Amino acid sequence: MADHAHEVTQPNADIGRLKAALALILIFMVAEIAVALVSSSLALLSDAAHMLTDAAALAFALVAARLAARPARGAMTFGLGRAEILSAQANGMTLLVLALVIVYGAIRHLISPLNVEGAPVLVVALVGIAVNLVVARILGGHDHAHAHAEPAAPHDDDRDNERDRPRRSLNIEGSYQHILTDLFGFIATAAGAVVILTTGFQRADAIASLLIAAVMLHASAG
């Protein structure tokens, strides 16, 4: 009975973590786009584009976690596996296209730099770092919650559930890696804003955008 309760609780915990993470990402992304437009920061828009792919990955992981909470069936498991592959491919293509658009915009801004307001960019970038750390903590808590659990003796009736556990972990782990990657983008944006504020070098925002695009291209290749 205790093992059955654990099987019910784990996917529910996954769903709760993913919902919280997705809500934080979406709320911050909307605010970030607004500030990016007001401050003329391509780097912030680039970060927002990256966060859009994070949100897509979290949304799929949430759907997968909901399906994992249901009784396992062979056909459904196969279909979910195919959906995961297609989702990863679509996410990679989206990252690639967005990165190329950012590179194009960054080159234009290097040639003809805009007047970027460094102060709001720096504030939003620092908040973005904090939001990503919070989301990473939410998702990263998945494994620690069960780190000290005693391994139960396997039963024939639980084999399907055993196969589901790695899938749930991979859904969380994939989203976790997306968020960690996004941290580099916010650090680059914050650094660019500091350069603008201290030296007035406006092209720093475009350079930060190119760094973010490089991170996205690397992620799309993975």
Side-chain angles (χ1 to χ4, degrees), residues 116-123 125 188-199 204-205 208:
V116 179
E117 298 180 30
V121 174
L122 179 58
V123 170
T189 301
V194 169
V195 171
I196 291 171
L197 286 171
T198 56
T199 69
D205 187 76

Side-chain angles (χ1 to χ4, degrees), residues 158-176:
D158 293 332
R159 285 177 181 171
D160 288 331
N161 287 331
E162 293 293 334
R163 285 195 295 268
D164 281 344
R165 284 176 188 166
R167 183 181 303 282
R168 295 172 197 142
S169 297
L170 286 174
N171 289 330
I172 297 291
E173 180 64 21
S175 301
Y176 182 70

Side-chain angles (χ1 to χ4, degrees), residues 5-221:
H6 175 78
E7 291 299 329
V8 173
T9 301
Q10 181 174 336
N12 288 338
D14 287 353
I15 291 169
R17 289 188 179 93
L18 289 166
K19 279 183 175 180
L22 182 58
L24 281 173
I25 290 294
L26 289 175
I27 291 170
F28 179 76
M29 185 180 70
V30 171
E32 183 179 22
I33 291 172
V35 175
L37 294 175
V38 171
S39 63
S40 302
S41 173
L42 179 61
L44 280 184
L45 278 177
S46 303
D47 278 325
H50 198 180
M51 292 196 86
L52 178 63
T53 64
D54 293 343
L58 285 166
F60 179 80
L62 181 58
V63 171
R66 287 186 179 278
L67 291 176
R70 299 177 181 177
R73 289 179 174 82
M76 185 200 75
T77 302
F78 177 75
L80 181 57
R82 290 286 299 274
E84 284 179 329
I85 294 171
L86 292 174
S87 175
Q89 291 175 341
N91 195 275
M93 285 300 299
T94 303
L95 279 168
L96 176 61
V97 171
L98 289 173
L100 293 177
V101 172
I102 291 167
V103 168
Y104 173 74
I107 292 173
R108 288 187 60 188
H109 287 192
L110 283 173
I111 297 170
S112 301
L114 297 177
N115 184 27
V116 179
E117 298 180 30
V121 174
L122 179 58
V123 170
V124 172
L126 292 176
V127 174
I129 291 172
V131 167
N132 274 264
L133 288 173
V134 170
V135 172
R137 180 67 184 88
I138 291 171
L139 297 177
H142 167 78
D143 293 327
H144 301 298
H146 306 286
H148 303 291
E150 290 291 333
H155 299 285
D156 290 339
D157 293 340
D158 293 332
R159 285 177 181 171
D160 288 331
N161 287 331
E162 293 293 334
R163 285 195 295 268
D164 281 344
R165 284 176 188 166
R167 183 181 303 282
R168 295 172 197 142
S169 297
L170 286 174
N171 289 330
I172 297 291
E173 180 64 21
S175 301
Y176 182 70
Q177 293 302 324
H178 268 277
I179 298 303
L180 288 183
T181 301
D182 207 24
L183 271 174
F184 292 104
F186 281 109
I187 292 171
T189 301
V194 169
V195 171
I196 291 171
L197 286 171
T198 56
T199 69
F201 183 61
Q202 296 291 330
R203 288 181 174 87
D205 187 76
I207 293 171
S209 302
L210 287 173
L211 292 175
I212 295 166
V215 170
M216 294 172 71
L217 286 170
H218 177 74
S220 71

